[in-house]
């Protein structure tokens, strides 16, 4: 057994006074005598190097479970120790050893996010059905002004159009669709003075349609189709589920990604529209409801066609109701003929209801 | 205490009478460290950030020496990670429930109370995060095998924070120095170095003069920048007349542009205040018979501020330009390259900010501290206080870590 003796500076971890000791280094570890006469033995397995940088002259060591430090100016000792002490560089190489664990946690994080992406819609749907009606109504009341503000453009009042005579045919249509679609409550449909073309369902059996959208429509059958689609969302409580999904992503993003830019991005992405399955389900509901009500179902496909080809980065209807050839085709296939949703005169009057 | 003559090999540059800490980090090494830890952080969707922070602190701490002995940082990334996990779950649960209740409540009065509670909890979380993070860092700092600590005082700190926050808000920021000094004084007074406790009697009134001066000058500078700013805004709306703003809108845009233009000077002025505050805090701090002071000069921090601030400014400008170019039809073709430039600048800023800021600052601030007075190392002993096992979870959640 080879043994080297080297001078060292010893801090016992009790006081700040340095002690100068002679250390005997061997394969078994380090042995030295402190000033108080007590023999100190540091076993090889317990010795750890205190991390330094390239170019540092001194070598600093500590032992597991102890605060004490030994400092050597003798570089030869490092070579000896490297050979005999297995975990000498544990603290410096901490990063490298933990890289596997970090990779593991990253995988876990990614897995959690992926699972959430697939499972959250189902979970949200389930939870949505549990939400009491009064809560839902209050939520809808709260959300309505927020949504109106978001859609407002310069010149819009955002108010509900109140020409009762012109709106009566709309009310009649709503009643027909609600009855045909088996909705438990008659939805509250409002026509709002907003130029942006949009229509959506809010929690609490509310539907909002903008005058911009009505202006764009060519026949009342298209309006009937859109209303049918939105009523489909009401039937399945998609709006409430959407809110729950948003809250879920918010919480998840805070935990996994922490606060900060990545998290905000994550949240924005997750805010996205309903999934394609949900939209298709609402489409199917619309087609079936129109058929049950005896109304003409051809308006749906033509409306979607025209919306898709109309120009501009319309951040309204299109972004929240992403169209696809499949959806248009499905709706066209299922559409049945029927009577018009309202007379030409009523339709013209409705278009002017917000003036 | 017998003072043994150190054997050969232990003679240090400077000896026991040297009374300034020294910093021997290298900008190059630090830049390399920042670069690869940042890349790893992105690669792991930011999960690595705790280990990155630990690695950085280990480097910086080990580059600071006092009386010939280096500081040591004994924290681990795992401790930070675990602290974060726990805090994240707790915070999300609390704020999530609070938000849910806020959403549902009918009574206007109750809603108001809840909003107050919400903001109160946010402030409390940030304050507690700061306090506990300081305690974690102190207990993970060792010098000559002795560690630091932060004693009792969390409740007092929260109270101070809340009280001064309200005062500062009502005074439109004029009384901010009192808040900053009071909070730091509280922390310093609770700080332990081994078994010795720090004492600080620095007062805000020593720096209020400097603060008011730079506050006033900042307003003047922004005001002066308003003229070129208005010219710029008018020029921009001339290029895109469909986006012409009414007088109020033009005024607001001019103020924003003016603030961007004036920002470098305001940053430098703020640096002047920070130096004054640092010197006042040092001068008021002592431990036992040992007193501290600093001779840091305001000009010393100007270079680091500019290296840190200019890329930040460029990023802000590039982001605004990129945003506008998406909105303005004529410039839309420039939108993608503009956004790319903005992102690149942002990355550069992140790296430059840590490297230049930390390194240059450390290199100037550390050696400026002067420690004087009789120091008997035999009397400085190990800290006996409780040591937290995890760290900085709250600080991470409320964004006051790092």
């Amino acid at each position: 057994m080879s043994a080297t003796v080297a001078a060292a500076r010893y801090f016992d971890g009790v006081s700040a006074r340095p002690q100068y000791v002679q250390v005997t280094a061997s394969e078994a570890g380090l042995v030295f005598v402190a000033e108080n006469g007590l023999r100190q033995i540091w076993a090889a397995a317990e010795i750890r190097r205190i991390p330094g940088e390239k170019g540092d002259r001194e070598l600093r060591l500590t032992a597991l479970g102890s605060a004490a430090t030994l400092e050597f100016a003798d570089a030869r000792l490092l070579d000896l120790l490297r050979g005999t002490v297995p975990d000498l560089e544990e603290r410096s190489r901490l990063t490298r050893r933990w890289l596997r664990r970090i990779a593991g946690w990253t995988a876990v994080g990614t897995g959690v996010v992926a699972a959430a992406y697939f499972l959250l819609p189902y979970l949200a749907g389930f939870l949505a059905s549990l939400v009491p009606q009064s809560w839902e109504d209050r939520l809808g009341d709260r959300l309505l002004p927020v949504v109106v503000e978001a859609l407002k453009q310069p010149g819009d009042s955002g108010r509900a159009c109140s020409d009762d005579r012109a709106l009566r045919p709309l009310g009649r249509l709503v009643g027909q669709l609600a009855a045909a679609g088996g909705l438990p409550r008659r939805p509250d449909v409002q026509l709002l003075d907003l130029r942006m073309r949009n229509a959506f369902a809010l929690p609490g059996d509310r539907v909002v349609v903008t005058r911009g959208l009505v202006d764009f429509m060519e026949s009342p059958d298209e309006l009937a189709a859109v209303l049918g689609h939105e009523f489909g969302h009401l039937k399945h409580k998609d709006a409430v589920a959407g809110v729950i999904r948003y809250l879920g992503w918010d919480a998840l993003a805070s935990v996994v990604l922490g606060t900060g830019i990545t998290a905000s991005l994550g949240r924005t992405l997750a805010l996205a529209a309903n999934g394609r399955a949900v939209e298709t389900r609402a489409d199917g509901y619309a087609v079936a409801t129109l058929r049950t009500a005896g109304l003409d179902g051809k308006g749906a496909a033509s409306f979607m066609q025209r919306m898709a080809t109309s120009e501009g980065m319309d951040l309204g209807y299109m972004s929240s109701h992403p169209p696809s050839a499949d959806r248009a085709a499905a709706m066209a296939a299922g559409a049945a003929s029927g009577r018009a949703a309202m007379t030409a005169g009523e339709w013209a009057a409705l278009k002017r209801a917000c003036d | 205490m017998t003072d043994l003559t150190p054997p050969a090999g232990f003679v240090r540059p400077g000896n026991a009478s040297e009374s300034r800490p020294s910093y021997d980090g290298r900008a190059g090494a630090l830049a390399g460290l920042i670069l690869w830890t940042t890349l790893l952080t992105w690669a792991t969707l930011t999960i690595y950030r705790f280990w990155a922070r630990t690695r950085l602190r280990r480097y910086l701490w080990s580059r600071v020496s006092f009386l010939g002995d280096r500081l040591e940082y004994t924290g681990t990334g795992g401790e930070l990670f675990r602290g974060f996990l726990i805090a994240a779950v707790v915070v999300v649960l609390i704020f999530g429930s609070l938000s849910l209740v806020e959403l549902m409540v009918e009574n206007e009065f109750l809603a108001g109370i809840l909003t107050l509670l919400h903001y109160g909890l946010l402030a409390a979380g940030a304050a507690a995060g700061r306090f506990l993070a300081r305690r974690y860092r102190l207990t993970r700092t060792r010098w000559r095998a002795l560690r630091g600590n932060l004693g009792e005082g969390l409740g007092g700190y929260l109270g101070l924070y809340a009280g001064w926050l309200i005062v500062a808000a009502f005074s439109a920021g004029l009384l901010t120095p009192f808040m900053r000094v009071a909070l730091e004084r509280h922390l310093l007074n609770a700080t332990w170095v081994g078994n010795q406790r720090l004492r600080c009697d620095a007062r805000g009134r020593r720096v209020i003069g400097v603060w008011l001066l730079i506050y006033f000058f900042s307003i003047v500078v922004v005001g002066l920048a308003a003229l070129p700013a208005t010219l710029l805004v008018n020029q921009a709306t001339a290029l895109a007349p469909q986006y012409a703003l009414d007088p109020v809108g033009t005024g607001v845009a001019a103020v924003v542009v003016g603030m961007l233009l004036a920002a470098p000077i305001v940053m430098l002025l703020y640096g002047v205040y920070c130096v004054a505050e640092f010197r006042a805090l040092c001068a008021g701090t002592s431990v036992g018979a040992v007193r501290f002071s600093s001779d840091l000069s305001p000009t010393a921090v100007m270079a680091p501020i500019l290296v840190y601030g200019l890329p930040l400014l460029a990023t802000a400008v590039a982001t605004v330009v990129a945003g506008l170019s998406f909105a303005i039809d004529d410039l839309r073709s420039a939108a993608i390259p503009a956004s790319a430039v903005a992102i690149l600048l942002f990355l550069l800023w992140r790296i430059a900010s840590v490297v230049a800021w930390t390194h240059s600052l450390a290199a100037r601030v550390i050696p400026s501290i002067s420690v004087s007075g009789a120091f008997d190392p035999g009397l400085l002993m190990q800290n006996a206080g409780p040591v937290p096992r995890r760290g900085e979870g709250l600080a991470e959640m409320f964004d006051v870590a790092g």
Side-chain angles (χ1 to χ4, degrees):
Chain A
M1 187 161 34
S2 61
T4 326
V5 178
R9 214 154 111 108
Y10 174 59
F11 289 109
D12 57 6
V14 174
S15 91
R17 202 169 54 81
Q19 303 177 28
Y20 297 96
V21 296
Q22 293 291 319
V23 177
T24 310
S26 69
E27 274 144 23
L30 300 173
V31 182
F32 59 96
V33 179
E35 255 170 31
N36 56 11
L38 285 179
R39 205 152 174 254
Q40 304 285 328
I41 303 175
W42 288 13
E46 293 170 357
I47 301 174
R48 297 286 180 273
R49 183 175 171 206
I50 293 177
E53 302 298 324
K54 282 198 275 277
D56 283 357
R57 278 195 329 262
E58 64 271 352
L59 165 68
R60 300 200 304 170
L61 303 172
T62 185
L64 266 189
S66 154
T69 318
L70 271 178
E71 195 181 295
F72 297 87
D74 194 343
R76 294 176 299 148
L77 207 63
L78 187 55
D79 301 320
L80 168 68
L81 288 170
R82 283 220 178 101
T84 54
V85 178
D87 294 314
L88 181 66
E89 303 282 4
E90 185 191 32
R91 292 193 186 177
S92 320
R93 227 182 276 131
L94 200 64
T95 310
R96 260 172 272 165
R97 203 182 84 159
W98 274 74
L99 270 179
R100 262 179 290 129
R101 286 216 204 162
I102 292 164
W105 275 107
T106 311
V108 167
T110 321
V112 168
V113 169
Y117 187 76
F118 290 110
L119 291 178
L120 200 55
Y122 294 101
L123 189 63
F126 172 68
L127 288 172
S129 61
L130 295 178
V131 172
Q133 194 61 54
S134 56
W135 283 25
E136 221 198 283
D137 293 345
R138 223 172 293 151
L139 186 59
D141 292 340
R142 287 287 171 84
L143 285 177
L144 181 59
V146 172
V147 164
V148 170
E149 271 311 305
L151 293 180
K152 244 197 215 171
Q153 285 175 322
D156 290 340
S157 73
R159 272 176 295 137
C161 305
S162 52
D163 184 348
D164 289 326
R165 238 175 56 123
L167 291 175
R168 220 174 288 144
L170 178 64
R172 194 183 65 221
L173 179 59
V174 168
Q176 287 173 335
L177 290 173
L183 288 179
R185 269 198 320 191
R186 185 199 157 95
D188 171 19
V189 178
Q190 286 186 343
L191 182 61
L192 295 184
D193 180 23
L194 294 166
R195 274 181 303 159
M196 200 178 263
R197 310 176 204 156
N198 214 330
F200 44 84
L202 287 173
D205 294 322
R206 282 175 184 276
V207 171
V208 159
V209 183
T210 63
R211 70 172 299 178
L213 192 65
V214 172
D215 287 342
F216 177 78
M217 289 174 173
E218 284 177 356
S219 84
D221 297 331
E222 295 188 344
L223 179 60
V226 167
L227 283 179
H229 177 96
E230 298 308 326
F231 286 7
H233 286 319
L234 292 182
K235 174 90 176 156
H236 297 103
K237 304 229 179 261
D238 292 333
V240 182
V243 170
I244 295 176
R245 255 196 359 256
Y246 171 72
L247 290 175
W249 274 110
D250 209 54
L252 196 63
S254 316
V255 175
V256 176
L257 299 173
T259 53
I261 256 195
T262 338
S264 326
L265 272 176
R267 264 178 239 139
T268 320
L269 287 174
L271 253 197
N274 288 317
R276 184 174 287 186
V278 169
E279 288 301 302
T280 312
R281 181 174 63 181
D283 287 343
Y285 176 90
V287 168
T289 304
L290 287 172
R291 192 182 309 128
T292 311
L295 296 171
D296 196 304
K298 306 265 183 30
S302 70
F303 169 71
M304 230 178 269
Q305 213 85 25
R306 279 194 9 257
M307 275 299 258
T309 53
S310 77
E311 79 295 336
M313 273 178 81
D314 193 330
L315 293 170
Y317 196 80
M318 301 309 272
S319 61
S320 45
H321 299 74
S324 72
D326 305 328
R327 283 183 63 201
M331 289 195 94
S337 309
R339 61 172 195 281
M342 48 182 87
T343 68
E346 289 170 333
W347 177 239
L350 186 62
K351 280 209 174 203
R352 288 193 309 267
C354 292
D355 296 339
Chain B
M1 296 283 158
T2 50
D3 215 11
L4 295 173
T5 318
F10 286 100
V11 176
R12 308 207 166 272
N15 47 33
S17 66
E18 178 184 276
S19 56
R20 283 176 186 256
S22 67
Y23 171 75
D24 67 349
R26 291 180 304 114
L30 194 58
L33 197 62
I34 300 296
L35 196 61
W36 75 263
T37 54
T38 307
L39 288 176
L40 261 178
T41 303
W42 292 342
T44 58
L45 304 178
T46 76
I47 290 191
Y48 181 73
R49 65 184 183 269
F50 308 102
W51 287 266
R53 206 175 293 155
T54 302
R55 185 67 189 87
L56 199 60
R57 285 185 195 161
R58 208 182 298 141
Y59 178 81
L60 291 171
W61 264 236
S62 73
R63 301 302 93 195
V64 177
S65 322
F66 183 61
L67 295 187
D69 291 295
R70 294 185 184 277
L71 253 53
E72 185 194 344
Y73 180 73
T74 61
T76 71
E79 286 170 350
L80 295 179
F81 183 58
R82 267 174 281 138
F84 161 74
L85 279 183
I86 294 175
V89 173
V90 169
V91 167
V92 167
L93 280 177
I94 292 181
F95 279 89
S97 326
L98 195 59
S99 301
L100 219 63
V101 175
E102 266 177 58
L103 210 55
M104 287 303 139
V105 90
E106 278 269 319
N107 191 333
E108 284 285 321
F109 181 66
L110 210 56
I113 300 273
L114 280 177
T115 313
L116 231 74
L117 183 65
H118 194 130
Y119 284 112
L121 280 179
L122 278 174
R130 272 236 202 102
F131 189 91
L132 295 172
R134 179 72 67 101
R135 176 180 285 161
Y136 173 79
R137 266 172 254 176
L138 282 171
T139 53
R140 271 34 181 198
T141 303
R142 295 228 300 226
W143 180 72
R144 290 190 171 181
L146 305 179
R147 65 164 178 268
N149 210 330
L150 198 63
E152 307 264 314
L154 176 59
Y157 190 74
L158 288 177
L160 264 181
Y161 195 88
W164 276 113
L165 206 60
I166 297 174
V167 171
F170 274 110
S171 70
L174 284 170
L175 299 181
T176 311
F178 289 106
M179 171 177 175
R180 291 171 56 115
V181 174
L183 287 174
E184 193 56 39
R185 185 176 63 235
H186 184 95
L187 287 177
L188 287 171
N189 270 318
T191 302
W192 293 78
V193 175
N195 68 339
Q196 305 283 333
R197 194 166 161 165
L198 254 59
R199 284 265 168 264
C200 179
D201 59 9
R203 296 237 96 85
R205 59 175 173 261
R206 287 201 54 183
V207 285
I208 189 72
V210 179
W211 175 259
L212 290 175
L213 218 61
I214 67 156
Y215 195 91
F216 169 69
F217 270 120
S218 299
I219 296 178
V220 167
V221 169
V222 173
L224 284 178
L227 184 58
T230 318
L231 286 173
L232 269 172
V233 172
N234 284 332
Q235 188 71 336
T237 46
L239 280 175
Q242 69 269 31
Y243 290 92
L245 301 159
D246 57 331
V248 175
T250 313
V252 169
V255 168
V256 170
V257 175
M259 283 167 80
L260 276 177
L261 289 175
I265 302 183
V266 174
M267 272 191 253
L268 290 176
L269 287 175
Y270 182 64
V272 171
Y273 166 75
C274 286
V275 170
E277 185 190 86
F278 178 73
R279 292 179 64 159
L281 284 168
C282 275
T285 307
S286 61
V287 54
V290 175
R291 299 206 62 90
F292 296 87
S293 78
S294 169
D295 59 6
L296 187 68
S297 79
T299 50
V301 299
M302 287 188 175
I305 287 178
L306 285 177
V307 178
Y308 174 90
L310 288 179
L312 172 60
L313 219 56
T315 312
V317 169
T319 315
V320 168
V321 168
L324 282 177
S325 59
F326 268 111
I328 298 178
D329 294 323
D330 302 327
L331 296 177
R332 202 164 283 170
S333 54
I336 305 290
S339 308
V341 170
I343 293 176
L344 206 67
L345 280 175
F346 180 75
L347 301 179
L348 266 176
W349 167 62
R350 288 298 294 243
I351 298 181
S353 67
V354 188
V355 179
W357 185 245
T358 318
H359 172 76
S360 318
L361 224 49
R364 288 163 169 80
V365 171
I366 304 282
S368 77
I369 304 174
S370 155
V371 183
S372 58
F375 168 54
D376 183 349
L379 287 181
L380 178 63
M381 306 186 71
Q382 184 60 279
N383 176 270
V387 173
R389 272 180 310 165
R390 294 171 296 270
E392 302 195 357
L394 273 181
E396 176 72 18
M397 289 306 291
F398 291 95
D399 236 359
V400 291

